[in-house]
């Protein structure tokens, strides 16, 4: 077990730790005010533990208050995420366990695995209740009122492992907030009177207070926008109201909020964003027409993820506001990306359910989710699989995010993007690839099914699309968009036959050739396909395979020895042509 405290390290680490503390504390200022306005004491504590569980990201959070009758116990009075009634009403001896230790000695503490922690004072009855709840890791922060420890705010997980420094910080900040919430109104009135006196007596103090209030309003803007599910436009408008002039938001992340427009970064702004991120302060420059502008970078892990920008120069007070705006933007982008990541994860799970649907079909919850995305029985839809390099897939994903936002169902499977989309969405995808002057995507292949109307055939059609992609990849297909139609009659043929008999025919007819390729690491099968595709032209075959004509002739001699001198003539030639094409579609040859 370890005590939480200020981290050790160089000055830069301490400054960064303090900055995170300030950001988290100011982000909950509006929440603190709302807690004090709740008249019912238990409602205020319940609101606190519910919010604390989300911020700490733990399985459960609870608050205990120390007894005032000298009994030597601290009792849990509010919980969120706790299952058992015994745990919700637990009274812990002061000094025992993590809770008792924090509540007695007033220092933050944690245990990575409570049951196995020999450094703790264990109470048998408490240990039984903790084990029944399944609790393993516990973190605690003391609550104080008027300088006295009055209880503890606790977070716990049902799996072992240490809590990190930020979770320690959040827990202590919220524990402090709980102590404030328990203060009486007389203390708040006295504090208000002191603030009023300071405003009247000191102009500098008044200006400082006004600046703090403006900073707090920036945090209120963040909480308001996130609470309403708003986007960049609402965030920018709120910042502009506090700044007293227009604030533009720059987003440097890959994903975009499709509900609202975001300012685009230009050549003038980009270097300033980098400089601002390095210096952690606003940067001012001038545009080509001589007008000044100021930029402040929003960072995550010291890397710029966005920026806020205003026209003109800024004074010291506005610099502080602009810096707070940038930190708020960083929090907003982080929260939005987490939300989008959660949506992406849920939709990938939805696709996985469709691809693995059993004989009983899909349940009503899945079909309802699909209907919300425009996919329903009887309405045309397609399966689309995108295969390519990591960078090309990233570019394509960014493009469909821009074009479709969150309305397109797709996910990543085995390094490929898999989408199930309505026919109208596929029409836009097809136009993007086949329009005159369409951009090249550098070796990316996009396989698609025909228009489908029944969800139950998706697994089978998905397997067929994968075979088409594999065949196109191995045959060096020149087009980006491929399907069974790409292979003409043989593609139509393979939609109507059973795969296993087709594989048997391939083995019976092409076995010697495919065995030879497998044993010697050659590509005679590709040579045979190219020779038949080029109407028996050695020159065209050489061009297709990027080899010398003499190499083609040598390979043709070997083919004649393996398949017979008439392997490319008449009916035998047609059989070989069809089965060579089929072999590319049905999957890799495994030999006899």
């Amino acid at each position: 077990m370890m005590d939480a405290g200020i981290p050790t390290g160089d000055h830069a680490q301490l400054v960064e730790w303090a900055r995170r503390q300030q950001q988290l504390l100011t982000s909950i200022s509006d929440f603190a005010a709302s807690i004090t306005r709740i008249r019912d004491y238990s409602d205020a504590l319940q609101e606190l533990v519910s919010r604390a569980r989300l911020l700490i990201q733990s399985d459960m959070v609870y608050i205990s208050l120390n007894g005032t009758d000298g009994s030597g116990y601290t009792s849990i009075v509010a919980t969120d995420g706790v299952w058992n009634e015994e745990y919700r009403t637990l009274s812990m001896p002061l000094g025992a366990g993590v809770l008792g230790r924090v509540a007695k000695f007033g220092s933050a503490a944690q245990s990575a695995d409570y049951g196995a922690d020999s450094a703790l004072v264990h109470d048998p009855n408490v240990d039984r209740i903790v084990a029944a709840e399944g609790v393993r890791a516990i973190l605690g922060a003391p609550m104080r009122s008027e300088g006295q420890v009055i209880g503890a705010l606790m977070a716990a997980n049902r799996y072992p492992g240490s809590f990190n420094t930020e979770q320690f910080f959040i827990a202590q900040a919220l524990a402090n907030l709980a102590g404030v919430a328990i203060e009486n109104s007389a203390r708040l009135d006295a504090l208000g009177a002191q603030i009023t006196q300071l405003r009247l007596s000191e102009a500098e103090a008044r200006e400082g207070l006004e600046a703090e209030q403006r900073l707090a309003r920036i945090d209120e803007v963040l909480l308001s926008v996130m609470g309403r599910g708003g986007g960049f436009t609402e965030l920018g408008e709120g910042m502009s109201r506090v700044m007293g002039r227009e604030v533009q938001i720059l987003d440097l992340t890959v994903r975009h909020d499709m509900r609202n427009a975001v300012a685009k970064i230009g050549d003038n702004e980009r270097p300033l964003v980098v400089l601002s991120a390095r210096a952690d302060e606003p940067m001012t420059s001038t545009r080509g027409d001589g007008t000044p502008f100021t930029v402040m970078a929003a960072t995550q892990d010291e890397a710029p993820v966005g920026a806020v920008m205003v026209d003109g120069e800024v004074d010291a007070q506005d610099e502080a506001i602009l810096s707070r705006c940038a930190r708020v933007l960083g929090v907003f982008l982080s929260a939005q990306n987490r939300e989008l990541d959660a949506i992406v994860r849920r939709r990938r799970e939805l696709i996985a359910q469709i691809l693995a649907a059993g004989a009983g079909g899909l349940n009503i919850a899945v079909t309802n989710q699909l209907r919300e995305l425009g996919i329903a029985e009887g309405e045309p839809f397609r399966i689309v699989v995108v295969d390519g390099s990591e960078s090309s897939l990233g570019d394509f994903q960014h493009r469909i995010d821009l074009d479709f936002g969150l309305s397109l169902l797709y996910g990543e499977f085995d390094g490929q993007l898999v989408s199930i989309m309505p026919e109208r969405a596929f029409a836009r995808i097809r136009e993007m690839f086949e329009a005159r002057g369409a951009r090249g995507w550098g070796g990316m292949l996009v396989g698609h099914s025909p228009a489908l109307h029944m969800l139950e055939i998706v697994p089978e059609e998905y397997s067929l699309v994968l075979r088409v992609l594999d065949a196109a990849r191995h045959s060096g297909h020149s087009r980006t968009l491929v399907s069974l139609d790409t292979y003409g009659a043989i593609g139509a043929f393979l939609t109507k036959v059973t795969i296993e008999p087709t594989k048997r025919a391939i083995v019976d007819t092409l076995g010697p050739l495919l065995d030879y390729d497998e044993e010697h690491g050659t590509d005679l099968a590709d040579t045979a396909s190219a020779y038949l595709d080029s109407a028996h032209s050695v020159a065209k075959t050489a061009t297709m395979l990027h080899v010398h004509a003499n190499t083609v002739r040598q390979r043709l001699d070997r083919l004649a020895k393996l398949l017979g001198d008439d392997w490319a003539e008449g009916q035998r030639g047609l059989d070989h042509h069809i089965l060579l094409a089929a072999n590319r579609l049905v999957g890799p040859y495994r030999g006899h």
Side-chain angles (χ1 to χ4, degrees):
M1 186 169 70
M2 63 175 287
D3 290 333
I6 298 176
T8 59
D10 59 24
H11 179 70
Q13 290 176 324
L14 293 173
V15 170
E16 180 60 24
W17 181 83
R19 184 179 296 112
R20 288 200 307 271
Q21 279 193 319
Q22 181 185 25
Q23 179 179 354
L24 287 168
L25 286 173
T26 53
S27 295
I28 60 176
S29 61
D30 183 66
F31 177 61
S34 67
I35 288 263
T36 61
R37 289 195 295 268
I38 299 176
R39 295 183 178 181
D40 188 288
Y41 175 79
S42 61
D43 287 348
L45 294 182
Q46 190 58 50
E47 177 73 8
L48 179 66
V49 294
S50 297
R51 183 66 63 90
R53 185 183 174 195
L54 291 174
L55 290 174
I56 298 175
Q57 296 182 342
S58 60
D59 290 342
M60 64 183 74
V61 168
Y62 46 97
I63 284 177
S64 80
L65 293 178
N66 295 348
T68 58
D69 56 358
S71 61
Y73 284 84
T74 184
S75 301
I76 295 176
V77 296
T79 68
D80 188 75
V82 177
W83 296 338
N84 297 324
E85 182 65 19
E86 276 191 296
Y87 205 111
R88 285 194 289 266
T89 57
L90 176 66
S91 289
M92 171 74 79
L94 291 176
V98 180
L99 170 57
R101 177 175 178 172
V102 173
K104 180 176 181 179
F105 299 109
S107 296
Q110 72 160 316
S111 175
D113 194 345
Y114 175 86
D117 197 336
S118 60
L120 294 172
V121 176
H122 286 271
D123 181 281
N125 185 55
V126 171
D127 286 357
R128 176 186 62 79
I129 296 173
V130 171
E133 185 67 25
V135 169
R136 301 292 297 279
I138 304 176
L139 164 68
M143 296 189 312
R144 288 182 171 84
S145 177
E146 298 183 351
Q148 300 296 317
V149 178
I150 60 171
L153 184 144
M154 311 294 295
N157 288 323
R158 295 185 175 88
Y159 55 88
S162 298
F163 291 85
N164 60 37
T165 302
E166 184 165 290
Q167 289 172 309
F168 259 102
F169 177 76
I170 295 172
Q172 187 59 70
L174 293 175
N176 294 340
L177 175 58
V180 173
I182 296 172
E183 297 286 355
N184 57 47
S185 60
R187 180 178 176 84
L188 294 177
D189 291 340
L191 182 60
Q194 293 175 16
I195 293 175
T196 301
Q197 183 60 39
L198 286 173
R199 286 175 175 172
L200 295 173
S201 60
E202 293 289 340
E204 182 178 349
R206 182 170 61 250
E207 291 177 359
L209 181 59
E210 290 173 352
E212 288 299 321
Q213 288 176 331
R214 291 179 69 191
L215 292 175
R217 286 201 294 273
I218 293 295
D219 302 321
E220 292 172 3
V221 168
L222 172 65
L223 292 175
S224 176
V225 171
M226 294 181 67
R228 298 196 313 271
F232 286 101
T233 298
E234 292 88 347
L235 189 65
E237 290 173 349
M239 291 179 177
S240 298
R241 287 193 299 271
V242 178
M243 280 290 294
R245 53 175 146 167
E246 183 180 1
V247 175
Q248 297 184 61
I249 295 176
L250 308 175
D251 179 14
L252 304 183
T253 61
V254 173
R255 296 188 182 278
H256 291 259
D257 185 333
M258 300 310 301
R259 295 165 293 183
N260 303 104
V262 185
K264 294 182 178 179
I265 187 169
D267 294 337
N268 290 327
E269 295 88 2
R270 190 176 298 277
L272 255 64
V273 173
V274 175
L275 289 174
S276 175
R278 290 175 181 172
D280 192 29
E281 62 183 29
M283 291 289 168
T284 300
S285 183
T286 56
R287 298 189 175 90
D289 60 2
T291 60
F293 67 97
T294 304
V295 172
M296 179 65 199
T299 61
Q300 290 177 13
D301 298 327
E302 300 183 356
V305 294
V308 289
M309 180 174 65
V310 296
D311 289 337
E313 299 178 354
V314 294
D315 58 22
Q317 188 175 113
D318 279 350
E319 273 195 10
I321 300 299
L322 202 61
S323 296
R324 180 62 60 83
C325 286
R327 286 196 289 272
V328 164
L329 176 60
V331 172
F332 182 83
L333 288 171
S334 177
Q336 186 179 65
N337 286 338
R338 284 198 299 270
E339 178 185 357
L340 288 172
D341 288 342
I343 292 173
V344 169
R345 184 173 61 253
R346 289 195 296 271
R347 292 194 172 177
R348 186 188 185 282
E349 293 170 354
L350 179 60
I351 294 175
Q353 287 180 281
I354 301 169
L355 297 181
L362 301 172
N363 62 46
I364 190 169
V366 172
T367 57
N368 286 339
Q369 292 179 66
L370 290 173
R371 190 175 294 108
E372 292 175 358
L373 295 166
I375 303 166
E377 289 281 353
E379 298 292 332
F381 64 90
R382 303 251 184 169
I383 304 168
V384 176
V385 181
V386 187
D387 180 65
S389 66
E390 183 177 350
S391 61
S392 63
L393 290 182
D395 288 345
F396 181 71
Q397 180 179 343
H398 182 51
R399 174 60 187 270
I400 60 177
D401 280 348
L402 289 173
D403 287 352
F404 297 97
L406 301 177
S407 67
L408 196 68
L409 176 61
Y410 74 87
E412 184 176 338
F413 294 83
D414 299 324
Q416 297 175 322
L417 289 182
V418 178
S419 177
I420 301 174
M421 62 179 66
E423 182 68 12
R424 61 182 178 277
F426 177 72
R428 292 174 60 184
I429 296 289
R430 170 174 281 173
E431 181 181 359
M432 179 174 65
F433 285 110
E434 297 184 345
R436 182 182 298 274
R439 64 162 286 185
W441 291 84
M444 191 173 72
L445 283 173
V446 180
H448 66 89
S449 70
L452 307 176
H453 296 79
M454 295 184 297
L455 291 170
E456 63 187 27
I457 65 173
V458 167
E460 181 180 350
E461 291 289 339
Y462 172 62
S463 298
L464 197 55
V465 173
L466 292 181
R467 292 200 298 272
V468 168
L469 271 178
D470 187 62
R473 180 66 73 193
H474 285 90
S475 62
H477 203 279
S478 60
R479 298 180 59 189
T480 301
L481 206 61
V482 294
S483 68
L484 283 174
D485 292 341
T486 307
Y487 293 90
I490 185 62
F493 167 73
L494 283 176
T495 65
K496 303 296 189 297
V497 301
T498 305
I499 295 301
E500 288 308 316
T502 302
K503 288 184 176 180
R504 186 72 261 164
I506 291 170
V507 170
D508 292 343
T509 305
L510 301 176
L513 166 61
L514 300 177
D515 286 336
Y516 185 89
D517 274 350
E518 188 173 24
E519 292 170 5
H520 295 83
T522 55
D523 55 1
L524 291 179
D526 289 343
T527 301
S529 295
Y531 184 67
L532 294 170
D533 288 343
S534 63
H536 300 189
S537 170
V538 172
K540 290 182 180 179
T541 302
T543 300
M544 292 172 63
L545 298 177
H546 306 290
V547 297
H548 195 274
N550 287 338
T551 302
V552 174
R553 293 187 183 97
Q554 293 170 5
R555 293 179 182 179
L556 293 176
D557 289 341
R558 176 60 62 184
L559 283 165
K561 291 178 182 179
L562 292 170
L563 299 178
D565 292 337
D566 62 343
W567 72 272
E569 306 298 332
Q571 182 62 47
R572 293 201 71 214
L574 177 61
D575 290 345
H576 288 144
H577 203 172
I578 291 174
L579 291 174
L580 282 166
N583 185 57
R584 294 200 300 268
L585 289 173
V586 300
Y589 174 74
R590 299 302 183 196
H592 294 289

